[in-house]
Amino acid sequence: QELPRRATAAPLTYHEKRELARMEDVILAAEAELSALDAELHQANQSADHGRLQRAFEQREAAADRVDQLYARWEMLASRAEG
């Protein structure tokens, strides 16, 4: 009886290899933006401007989501690169 084959990931494409090679720099830039938005959120929280606080919160959440997405993409690419 034939055993089921184990699914193997396809090798990285040329573009994926390039993406993986620069992923660390992209993540560092996204984390720097997140840090700046954290500072803005803190400043907005100290002010009485609720509109500014809401905008800062929304921007910070979007930046945090972006960082999470980048880490997930990096993990997936690195896993496929390892074979």
Side-chain angles (χ1 to χ4, degrees):
Q1 184 176 16
E2 189 175 324
L3 296 174
R5 291 183 184 214
R6 189 171 166 202
T8 57
L12 295 180
T13 66
Y14 170 77
H15 293 289
E16 289 171 331
K17 288 177 186 176
R18 289 187 55 186
E19 180 183 5
L20 180 59
R22 31 177 229 273
M23 187 63 75
E24 186 174 357
D25 290 336
V26 172
I27 289 173
L28 289 173
E31 286 180 333
E33 179 183 352
L34 180 58
S35 181
L37 289 168
D38 280 337
E40 168 61 23
L41 183 60
H42 179 71
Q43 289 176 354
N45 193 35
Q46 301 300 316
S47 74
D49 186 347
H50 297 291
R52 178 181 173 199
L53 180 59
Q54 181 64 34
R55 285 187 303 277
F57 177 77
E58 290 170 357
Q59 290 174 341
R60 194 257 177 229
E61 287 300 300
D65 288 346
R66 173 79 175 132
V67 168
D68 290 344
Q69 291 168 359
L70 287 169
Y71 271 112
R73 178 74 175 158
W74 189 17
E75 183 178 323
M76 187 274 298
L77 290 173
S79 175
R80 283 188 43 213
E82 291 172 1

